Amino acid sequence: MSAANWRRAMNVQNPRPAARNSPAPAREARVRRFTFENPVRARHVIVLAFLLAYPWFATPFFTYQIGAQTLALGLIALSLTFLGGYGGMISLAQMTVAGIAGYMVAIFGAAATDGVTLGWPWWLAVLLGIVIATLAATFIGWLSVRTEGIYTIMITLAIGVAFYYLVLQNYTVFNGFQGEQKVFPPTFAGLYWRDATPFYYLTLFWALAGYLFVVYLVRTPFGIALQGIRDNPRRMHALGFNVTAHRVAAYAVAGTIAAVGGVLFTWYNGLVTPGSVGTHWLINILIIAVLGGMRHPVGPFLGAIVFVLLQTFAIDVIDRERFNLVIGLVFLVIVLFSRDGLLGWWTALSARLSTQRGAATWKAARGRLYAR
Amino acid sequence: MTRAWKVFWTLVIAVPVVVLTAWGLQDNARLFVVTFLNGLTLASLYFIVASGFTLVFGLMRNVNLAHGSLYLLGGYLGFFTAQFSGSWLLALAAGFAAAALVGLAMQVSIFRFMPGQDLRQTMVTIGLSIVIADILMWAIGAQVHQMSPPPWLDGPIRNLPVIRAYSTYRFSLLPIGIVIGVALWLFLNRTRVGMMIRAGVDDRAMLAAAGVNVNLVFATTFAIGAGLAGLGGVIGAVELSMVPGEDTRLLLASLIVVIVGGMGSVVGAAIGAAIFGLAETYGLAYAPTYSVVFTFVILVLVLAFRPRGILGRPA
């Protein structure tokens, strides 16, 4: 069923039923034609040019620690945005999926530990890592879609923490508390990809790929059906859609994105330990996604910028140990006062500046649900 | 489910359990019985903490992921109270009161203003758990705090058959858990407030229409649920020791217990706690590396066949 048919069947004018405060139909039609026929705006060009030029004026520290880390974390959080914002399923196990990919790269490829790694070629290890992580994500999805809404968050958290304890206690495969050390990107095509600039471009490529993939996917019939399921699973079921299959497929897609991000993040850190799949990081991914906003795939990257900057520079303002307090408070403020993270404030602000009607949007942006 | 299927599933579950029990008893009876008691007493602690979690969820649909932090808070408060006053019972009361007050403050100042927004409330509890855990670490530090049991529960019980001796305090967890469980059941089923809470679980709007101050009922329930976490914290401070990270462990335990037992059901929490406690302890005793896998397999099996838990009802 095409998107247009679906909208007719659903008897809604706008693909996003949340936009109840939308302007009059005539204006809306014009806006929609504009976005669908000419999706490239000036701000896209500016941001892309900035991202491409970034390593040429930033120091290696900023390129690697800030730039590459933001993009890798943003990619993992993007998988949660896709699941949560478009599928309505908040999974806390996305870092677990990313961690599985990282562990598999270390186990099949090269790491510092003897006996645990197989030492296969890096491309095979990466491929296997992503495939296995995607399978794991599909399994997690199959388990958690049997439950709804609020149950999902609990079950994925339980699965994530269970995986943490598994890698912590298991020494034969996962090397226990030590984890896998010295998991580095390979030397390929004459470049050592751990160097700041090549690694930045590597993460940038995959982050852009993931972003464009999500932007594309949410406009395909699958993506539209998924959003329909988010808004009203019973209606979609009555229309003949297989709700469970769509949801599991969403988990699989998100799993692949998270797996790519996980491989990059493991390479960035140079190691993968139980700590990197612990509760702390499971929740950090949620914080990043919620901080940025879940209504658009650019949200997680915005959230990741704020998160990484806070993490890096909180040390200068306050004690390094108190980073959790700062990020916890920032998260609380965002959750309490914005409907959709930074994006929500941005939308409301731009609406307020551009139209008279904006005040209503501003009002709606405060204290409503940001994702169902 | 037809009768034949019920018999089939009972056999599928019962036969391996009976066979493994027979093998365990024949192989090393003492280890088996001690593990059984350890499992049940641990289950008792899990039940105390998880019953508060399930109570709050059942009424308010609020998944309080700060429940582990309340456990830690209660445990620390109990520890210091016991240190100053020397009374374990006073420590219990302090732990309960501290967690209940924090829970009450959370309900009155935050959750009251976002009714029906499950997901947002959950996000807030995540934020709160990060903040509370970090403040506790700031104020108290990361070292291990271990409470000593009260004198009248210290030392082992001797002259027992098969296992010879067993820790008195550890054994006393079992009656404590049973007493709390029964008290909770009586409170919910035999008192007026309990009746209101049960009515609220079924239909909040109708309860409000009947002239009950729903906010008051919610606040009471939240305070009791949080208080139970604090109470569990004081009890666990002796048995498990208090250290940052225990909050996550107990939160995970509560989650699994209520997922297995069924959200919102106190009896379900008891069943879930028994299954989880026993599985974890037997796993640690017989296959230490993979103990968490047992827990996980149980979770998967329950979810696969009963997505809402053993005693769960549709939300």
Side-chain angles (χ1 to χ4, degrees):
Chain A
M1 186 184 262
S2 76
N5 278 344
W6 174 78
R7 253 172 260 138
R8 206 171 304 132
M10 290 291 98
N11 194 23
V12 287
Q13 275 76 46
N14 194 300
R16 305 302 306 266
R20 277 197 200 93
N21 303 305
S22 54
R27 186 181 149 71
E28 185 193 35
R30 192 177 63 80
V31 169
R32 201 197 293 164
R33 194 177 64 240
F34 183 60
T35 47
F36 269 81
E37 285 172 8
N38 184 12
V40 180
R41 306 257 186 97
R43 61 167 182 265
H44 296 137
V45 178
I46 294 170
V47 169
L48 187 65
F50 173 79
L51 286 174
L52 285 173
Y54 181 70
W56 302 104
F57 58 82
T59 60
F61 171 80
F62 266 85
T63 308
Y64 191 74
Q65 307 280 351
I66 308 286
Q69 194 187 0
T70 299
L71 291 168
L73 278 177
L75 194 56
I76 301 175
L78 175 68
S79 72
L80 177 57
T81 300
F82 173 69
L83 265 187
Y86 295 96
M89 300 169 283
I90 303 283
S91 160
L92 282 175
Q94 289 314 106
M95 196 63 200
T96 305
V97 175
I100 290 174
Y103 263 108
M104 289 306 139
V105 167
I107 288 168
F108 289 118
T113 337
D114 298 331
V116 187
T117 59
L118 296 172
W120 291 358
W122 65 268
W123 53 269
L124 189 61
V126 170
L127 203 66
L128 275 173
I130 291 173
V131 168
I132 290 173
T134 307
L135 289 178
T138 316
F139 177 68
I140 292 171
W142 175 79
L143 264 186
S144 43
V145 296
R146 311 177 139 268
T147 57
E148 274 185 7
I150 210 72
Y151 290 74
T152 314
I153 213 167
M154 303 175 47
I155 282 150
T156 49
L157 180 62
I159 292 171
V161 179
F163 181 72
Y164 163 74
Y165 279 111
L166 175 69
V167 295
L168 187 68
Q169 293 172 359
N170 184 300
Y171 278 84
T172 47
V173 180
F174 296 104
N175 200 30
F177 181 75
Q178 285 286 314
E180 308 280 351
Q181 309 279 340
K182 296 194 177 158
V183 190
F184 293 143
T187 306
F188 177 64
L191 279 173
Y192 183 45
W193 289 90
R194 192 173 160 72
D195 290 335
T197 311
F199 190 71
Y200 172 80
Y201 280 119
L202 182 70
T203 49
L204 180 62
F205 173 77
W206 286 108
L208 273 179
Y211 170 80
L212 292 174
F213 177 63
V214 171
V215 168
Y216 161 76
L217 193 66
V218 298
R219 288 179 184 174
T220 59
F222 168 74
I224 300 285
L226 192 65
Q227 290 165 67
I229 288 168
R230 170 198 66 192
D231 292 337
N232 198 332
R234 287 184 66 191
R235 252 191 207 179
M236 294 303 281
H237 182 71
L239 280 172
F241 284 89
N242 188 337
V243 172
T244 310
H246 275 78
R247 283 179 169 163
V248 175
Y251 266 95
V253 170
T256 311
I257 299 172
V260 175
V263 172
L264 291 172
F265 193 58
T266 304
W267 278 346
Y268 164 79
N269 283 320
L271 51 89
V272 52
T273 60
S276 38
V277 291
T279 346
H280 189 65
W281 271 104
L282 301 184
I283 288 175
N284 277 352
I285 293 301
L286 178 76
I287 289 179
I288 291 171
V290 171
L291 214 58
M294 285 211 178
R295 285 197 183 274
H296 194 273
V298 81
F301 295 103
L302 285 181
I305 293 174
V306 174
F307 181 86
V308 169
L309 285 178
L310 275 179
Q311 192 186 39
T312 314
F313 294 109
I315 186 172
D316 296 332
V317 186
I318 44 144
D319 198 354
R320 176 80 184 83
E321 300 293 312
R322 296 283 79 79
F323 165 68
N324 275 337
L325 192 61
V326 175
I327 197 74
L329 287 174
V330 169
F331 180 70
L332 262 183
V333 166
I334 289 276
V335 171
L336 285 175
F337 298 108
S338 171
R339 182 178 56 164
D340 186 34
L342 297 172
L343 273 184
W345 277 342
W346 165 254
T347 323
L349 198 65
S350 59
R352 188 175 216 191
L353 291 177
S354 60
T355 63
Q356 289 293 318
R357 237 181 263 103
T361 323
W362 174 256
K363 217 171 168 185
R366 291 181 299 139
R368 288 271 317 279
L369 270 181
Y370 36 80
R372 263 185 287 182
Chain B
M1 211 189 282
T2 59
R3 207 185 139 84
W5 276 110
K6 265 186 189 162
V7 172
F8 173 73
W9 285 117
T10 316
L11 281 179
V12 163
I13 295 167
V15 168
V17 169
V18 169
V19 169
L20 285 177
T21 310
W23 173 80
L25 281 173
Q26 187 263 330
D27 182 56
N28 185 344
R30 183 164 184 273
L31 176 70
F32 189 86
V33 175
V34 167
T35 314
F36 184 72
L37 278 177
N38 281 346
L40 275 191
T41 47
L42 187 66
S44 177
L45 176 63
Y46 284 162
F47 166 71
I48 294 168
V49 179
S51 59
F53 188 86
T54 204
L55 194 66
V56 169
F57 178 82
L59 180 63
M60 282 168 260
R61 302 280 134 194
N62 179 327
V63 177
N64 183 9
L65 295 182
H67 204 68
S69 309
L70 293 171
Y71 165 89
L72 206 55
L73 180 80
Y76 278 133
L77 252 287
F79 177 84
F80 289 117
T81 313
Q83 216 171 33
F84 282 117
S85 69
S87 161
W88 187 67
L89 289 176
L90 210 61
L92 274 185
F96 183 90
L101 276 179
V102 173
L104 193 66
M106 273 155 62
Q107 167 65 21
V108 170
S109 64
I110 302 172
F111 300 129
R112 191 156 59 93
F113 299 106
M114 38 179 89
Q117 300 179 30
D118 307 351
L119 204 61
R120 193 139 168 258
Q121 293 193 357
T122 310
M123 301 276 183
V124 172
T125 61
I126 289 177
L128 284 174
S129 75
I130 298 170
V131 170
I132 294 177
D134 206 56
I135 289 177
L136 283 179
M137 192 138 105
W138 195 1
I140 293 164
Q143 69 271 38
V144 178
H145 288 75
Q146 178 103 40
M147 224 163 113
S148 45
W152 78 92
L153 287 178
D154 213 356
I157 309 175
R158 292 181 199 284
N159 302 323
L160 289 171
V162 188
I163 56 168
R164 292 193 283 280
Y166 196 75
S167 157
T168 316
Y169 180 80
R170 180 115 212 187
F171 189 78
S172 71
L173 287 185
L174 207 53
I176 293 176
I178 292 171
V179 165
I180 289 179
V182 170
L184 208 56
W185 188 86
L186 285 176
F187 169 71
L188 285 176
N189 288 287
R190 292 282 180 273
T191 66
R192 204 177 150 70
V193 180
M195 199 166 72
M196 287 175 193
I197 291 176
R198 280 184 298 128
V201 170
D202 287 341
D203 194 332
R204 271 175 284 183
M206 204 58 216
L207 181 68
V212 174
N213 184 346
V214 176
N215 274 333
L216 196 64
V217 177
F218 278 18
T220 315
T221 316
F222 211 111
I224 294 172
L228 282 171
L231 192 73
V234 183
I235 293 169
V238 179
E239 195 49 56
L240 301 172
S241 81
M242 308 302 293
V243 65
E246 280 296 295
D247 50 348
T248 316
R249 190 185 147 186
L250 263 290
L251 176 65
L252 173 74
S254 304
L255 282 177
I256 294 185
V257 163
V258 296
I259 292 170
V260 169
M263 297 286 288
S265 156
V266 174
V267 183
I271 296 173
I275 293 176
F276 180 49
L278 285 172
E280 192 187 346
T281 327
Y282 273 109
L284 277 175
Y286 285 91
T289 324
Y290 296 100
S291 72
V292 70
V293 179
F294 286 129
T295 315
F296 189 63
V297 167
I298 289 174
L299 186 70
V300 169
L301 285 179
V302 169
L303 281 179
F305 294 104
R306 290 201 59 103
R308 294 194 184 281
I310 292 172
L311 289 185
R313 295 184 303 172

